[in-house]
């Protein structure tokens, strides 16, 4: 896993082979972040990374000078890996939370400039996640929700949908 740009550009982290989660590919990550530059100035913003997995997106957000990143991951080993990576970077701008994303969404009282969600593609509740985020008012007025999903999901009819991007087998829907 590699950080693409920013303060920690080029830093590599070896993901244990036993991990179920795999990071968003460098190709997809680089392209979606290029698109997002047109929506948001990462420097100084607050970001939420839901279903953090390996922490690839959280680390990228920290490297791009987000003021605060909250990373939520339920898996104990993945959470420990994220904390280990943050320790290696020597940063305190990311809060790694081990917990259930749905419980976090229900209890969170903070708003974010950007939310990135990458749930397991087979998760039965996947289609409801954008609505839950908007119902709980987790996104600031000009904020952006980036939702990674499989090719079988179509969010183009959602009232807050802005655009869809596809990079190989990785699909992103962007909401405002």
């Amino acid at each position: 896993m590699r950080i693409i740009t920013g303060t920690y550009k080029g830093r590599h982290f070896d993901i244990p082979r036993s991990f179920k989660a795999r990071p968003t590919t460098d190709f997809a990550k680089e392209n979606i972040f290029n698109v997002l530059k047109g929506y948001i100035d990462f420097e100084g913003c607050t970001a939420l990374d839901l279903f953090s997995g390996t922490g690839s997106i959280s680390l990228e957000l920290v490297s791009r000078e987000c003021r605060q990143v909250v990373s939520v991951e339920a898996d104990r080993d993945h959470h420990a890996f994220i904390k280990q990576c943050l320790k290696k970077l020597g940063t305190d701008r990311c809060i790694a939370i081990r917990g259930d994303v749905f419980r976090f969404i229900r209890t969170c009282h903070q708003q974010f400039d950007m939310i990135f969600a990458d749930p397991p593609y087979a998760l039965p509740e996947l289609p409801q996640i954008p609505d839950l985020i908007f119902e709980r008012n987790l996104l600031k007025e000009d904020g952006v929700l980036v939702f990674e999903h499989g090719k079988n999901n179509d969010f183009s009819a959602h009232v807050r949908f802005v655009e869809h991007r596809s990079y190989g087998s990785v699909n992103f829907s962007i909401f405002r």
Side-chain angles (χ1 to χ4, degrees):
M1 178 176 75
R2 171 178 73 92
I3 297 177
I4 294 169
T5 196
T7 306
Y8 304 110
K9 178 181 179 178
R11 294 287 298 267
H12 287 266
F13 299 92
D14 294 325
I15 300 167
R17 293 185 193 274
S18 62
F19 274 24
K20 295 172 274 224
R22 291 286 170 248
T24 301
T25 65
D26 283 354
F27 176 73
K29 185 167 63 170
E30 186 167 8
N31 281 290
I32 196 62
F33 272 93
N34 284 337
V35 169
L36 290 173
K37 282 193 272 187
Y39 287 98
I40 191 164
D41 179 12
F42 292 102
E43 191 171 329
C45 81
T46 57
L48 174 61
D49 182 12
L50 299 172
F51 304 96
S52 299
T54 61
S56 173
I57 299 299
S58 292
L59 297 173
E60 194 69 43
L61 291 166
V62 167
S63 184
R64 291 169 188 256
E65 299 297 328
C66 286
R67 180 171 39 89
Q68 181 191 48
V69 178
V70 177
S71 173
V72 183
E73 173 55 45
D75 185 276
R76 176 181 45 108
D77 294 334
H78 296 181
H79 174 259
F81 179 75
I82 294 167
K83 289 187 75 152
Q84 179 185 30
C85 292
L86 293 168
K87 186 175 181 181
K88 285 180 182 177
L89 293 180
T91 183
D92 63 354
R93 287 185 285 118
C94 183
I95 301 165
I97 296 172
R98 179 174 171 231
D100 178 75
V101 166
F102 295 100
R103 184 175 298 138
F104 178 86
I105 290 172
R106 284 193 309 272
T107 61
C108 181
H109 300 290
Q110 182 177 355
Q111 287 189 314
F112 300 89
D113 297 297
M114 183 203 160
I115 299 174
F116 189 97
D118 179 12
Y121 292 178
L123 186 71
E125 301 89 352
L126 183 144
Q128 290 82 40
I129 294 170
D131 285 333
L132 291 172
I133 288 169
F134 289 115
E135 286 168 10
R136 293 296 304 158
N137 201 28
L138 296 182
L139 203 58
K140 290 183 181 176
E141 188 174 328
D142 293 328
V144 177
L145 166 61
V146 181
F147 194 65
E148 186 174 334
H149 56 83
K151 65 181 178 182
N152 295 329
N153 299 100
D154 180 7
F155 294 96
S156 60
H158 194 282
V159 68
R160 306 284 295 265
F161 176 83
V162 177
E163 69 174 293
H164 173 261
R165 296 291 177 123
S166 178
Y167 306 104
S169 63
V170 181
N171 291 268
F172 297 100
S173 288
I174 299 173
F175 302 83
R176 289 207 92 163

